[in-house]
Amino acid sequence: MVDTATAKRLGLDIWPDTALGVIRDGDDRYRFLSTGTPGGRPPQQVIVTSGTLSDPVAGGVVSERPVTNVPAGYDYAGGGPIYRDPASGLVLEMLHLERPYADDPGQFYTELHLGRFDPATGSVTRLGAIVSPHASFELAGRSKTTIDIGVSSLSVVTAGSTKYLYVYFPDASADASGKIAFSGLSVARAPLDDVLSAAKNGQVTGWSKYANGGWEQPGLGGASSDLTPGQPMAWHPDVARDESVSIMVAGVSPREMVLADSADGVTGWSAQHPLFRDTAYYDAYPTVVGSGSDPAHPGSAFFVYYTQWQSSSPDWSKARLMRRSVTCTEGLTAAKVPFVRYSDGTRHQVTTGPVAGAGYHEEARWNLLTAQTPGTIPLYGCLNGAADYYVSTDAGCGGTQYSILQTEGWIYTDPPEAPSTALYRCYIRSLGDHFVSTRSDCEAPGNPDVAPEGRLGYALT
């Protein structure tokens, strides 16, 4: 997407350090907002680039501006996600502000503030704080606990006859002993008309957190309910809203991102479904971007942009902007997609996507389906280490030590009426290499080095 060398050439240092704000200017022309620190020297800047969905920096850097009107005591002020009012053109930007603890500046406390972005100049003016953790700055400072509630998206949800802006975050609370605990996912909201009216006057309106079935708790310091009890904490969640569903993409670790959805954006969140896992890299700051007329609306097929450090911990000399394609297949008509076995003479790859690396030739092909139909299950592409590509019927690829690459397609669990063949997963022990075969003996009867690992299902021929 945007590799490290390209970012450096454009002077994009410590970028993108937040999720993105995306403004569509016309057919295939967009502006992208995120935080960076040119030269690695604070203050942080809201950096605007221009480009396309496939190349967000194709038009270069448009502007670099620090957030203005930041009170004393904060050592980080950045932003990215936006809401653009279609009627007035006013652009609101979500801001992430950090306050260091005086006796331990390496640890910090964060708040969500709202800003106003000027599309003509790129300037960002802080309007005020809207959400702070339930645990106060003073209380969190006693244990020197870093409380990072991310930088939320701004999504519009209609409840009854009122439109609201929703923001999502992991809230932090303290028990009687002062120990800090985080919610999996919390939400706060304010009426959209009130937010816009206040912003036009350079102010913010009051926001309220959802707690115990109601919205009585204040956004600043109030308590909140965990919307996803029993599930991992949603790290830097990004929630996009269509007419009837809210879609969340969030990290559950620096290696793995998941997807969940809710009809009303508050209750009934689905189980978190693994989207991808990069065991060798560190991923953060997902942004859901639709490809239609409004990038804030994901539709059934959308992109997820995110920051990736090509290292096991954040290293800005190895940072790049990545993009994944996501298609929600429910209700779609299933079509055939070629499922191809490749070999370079030693190692194998079996995939519906492009082969990774040079020197591979096709050995065999079958067909999977592009969407679920009765009698089928999904098949996932996985990676063990650097070169052992394999497929699995387990969405988690068999364990958190393995990378999740993509959904390859859907395979029948029993022979369908259409022509088909059984497919088996096989493993060459001496090479640490997987492949797929139509033979249950993995084409090596009696060879102890080749291990059959069971039937995957039935692919169309």
Side-chain angles (χ1 to χ4, degrees):
M1 174 58 50
V2 180
D3 60 27
T4 305
T6 300
K8 294 299 181 186
R9 176 176 57 81
L10 294 171
L12 296 171
D13 300 312
I14 311 183
W15 173 94
D17 198 21
T18 59
L20 304 177
V22 183
I23 299 174
R24 186 174 185 264
D25 290 324
D27 293 340
D28 205 30
R29 293 184 295 110
Y30 297 81
R31 276 174 287 173
F32 300 83
L33 288 68
S34 187
T35 301
T37 309
R41 296 180 296 274
Q44 297 78 26
Q45 310 279 320
V46 173
I47 296 177
V48 182
T49 65
S50 67
T52 65
L53 292 180
S54 58
D55 186 356
V57 299
V61 176
V62 176
S63 63
E64 299 176 354
R65 300 284 190 275
V67 178
T68 62
N69 193 36
V70 176
Y74 297 90
D75 67 352
Y76 185 105
I82 61 100
Y83 168 75
R84 180 164 64 172
D85 178 38
S88 66
L90 184 148
V91 179
L92 301 173
E93 184 170 9
M94 178 56 66
L95 304 179
H96 169 100
L97 270 65
E98 297 178 2
R99 301 170 64 187
Y101 303 123
D103 54 351
D104 189 355
Q107 307 299 317
F108 57 87
Y109 181 92
T110 64
E111 301 163 355
L112 299 181
H113 291 232
L114 200 59
R116 182 168 179 174
F117 173 75
D118 184 348
T121 65
S123 65
V124 183
T125 304
R126 188 194 73 93
L127 301 174
I130 60 171
V131 171
S132 63
H134 181 41
S136 68
F137 175 74
E138 292 73 21
L139 182 58
R142 294 174 195 166
S143 61
K144 301 180 180 62
T145 301
T146 287
I147 297 180
D148 184 355
I149 62 173
V151 53
S152 175
S153 54
L154 292 156
S155 59
V156 178
V157 179
T158 300
S161 60
T162 304
K163 288 185 176 181
Y164 294 89
L165 272 181
Y166 281 42
V167 297
Y168 296 85
F169 52 95
D171 205 353
S173 302
D175 62 18
S177 68
K179 183 179 180 181
I180 303 296
F182 291 87
S183 68
L185 182 70
S186 295
V187 63
R189 76 180 187 184
L192 178 58
D193 287 346
D194 293 354
V195 174
L196 295 173
S197 178
K200 291 173 183 177
N201 293 317
Q203 301 173 337
V204 293
T205 190
W207 289 62
S208 55
K209 293 180 181 179
Y210 179 80
N212 300 319
W215 297 90
E216 287 75 33
Q217 289 289 322
L220 297 175
S224 66
S225 290
D226 189 344
L227 307 182
T228 57
Q231 299 198 49
M233 185 185 83
W235 187 50
H236 286 268
D238 190 82
V239 180
R241 179 74 181 178
D242 266 334
E243 289 185 4
S244 60
V245 67
S246 293
I247 294 173
M248 178 188 73
V249 174
V252 292
S253 79
R255 312 281 180 254
E256 182 175 345
M257 292 197 184
V258 299
L259 180 147
D261 63 78
S262 164
D264 64 6
V266 180
T267 61
W269 283 93
S270 67
Q272 295 171 348
H273 181 82
L275 273 185
F276 57 90
R277 184 188 302 129
D278 294 309
T279 57
Y281 301 138
Y282 197 107
D283 299 331
Y285 316 139
T287 306
V288 175
V289 178
S291 58
S293 60
D294 186 348
H297 297 157
S300 61
F302 54 88
F303 300 112
V304 176
Y305 295 77
Y306 59 101
T307 300
Q308 182 179 85
W309 293 275
Q310 298 173 81
S311 51
S312 59
S313 60
D315 179 347
W316 286 105
S317 69
K318 299 178 180 179
R320 58 185 178 180
L321 178 64
M322 301 291 287
R323 186 183 79 167
R324 300 260 185 164
S325 298
V326 179
T327 300
C328 300
T329 61
E330 184 177 359
L332 298 183
T333 301
K336 291 182 181 180
V337 59
F339 185 48
V340 183
R341 174 173 133 180
Y342 298 94
S343 172
D344 67 356
T346 301
R347 306 197 70 88
H348 296 84
Q349 293 182 46
V350 189
T351 180
T352 56
V355 68
Y360 283 84
H361 63 274
E362 181 177 327
E363 286 191 330
R365 71 166 50 203
W366 310 279
N367 291 291
L368 301 181
L369 295 176
T370 57
Q372 189 164 20
T373 61
T376 65
I377 57 174
L379 196 60
Y380 302 94
C382 310
L383 177 63
N384 176 20
D388 180 19
Y389 293 86
Y390 65 99
V391 292
S392 175
T393 57
D394 174 25
C397 285
T400 57
Q401 68 270 39
Y402 305 121
S403 294
I404 303 170
L405 303 179
Q406 66 176 21
T407 303
E408 300 289 351
W410 279 258
I411 191 168
Y412 284 93
T413 56
D414 295 300
E417 292 183 1
S420 65
T421 184
L423 293 183
Y424 301 86
R425 194 173 79 181
C426 309
Y427 183 61
I428 304 175
R429 293 189 174 98
S430 60
L431 297 177
D433 177 64
H434 280 90
F435 66 98
V436 170
S437 174
T438 57
R439 288 172 49 176
S440 60
D441 63 6
C442 293
E443 303 165 29
N447 186 343
D449 191 40
V450 180
E453 293 187 337
R455 188 176 63 216
L456 295 166
Y458 293 83
L460 299 176
T461 55

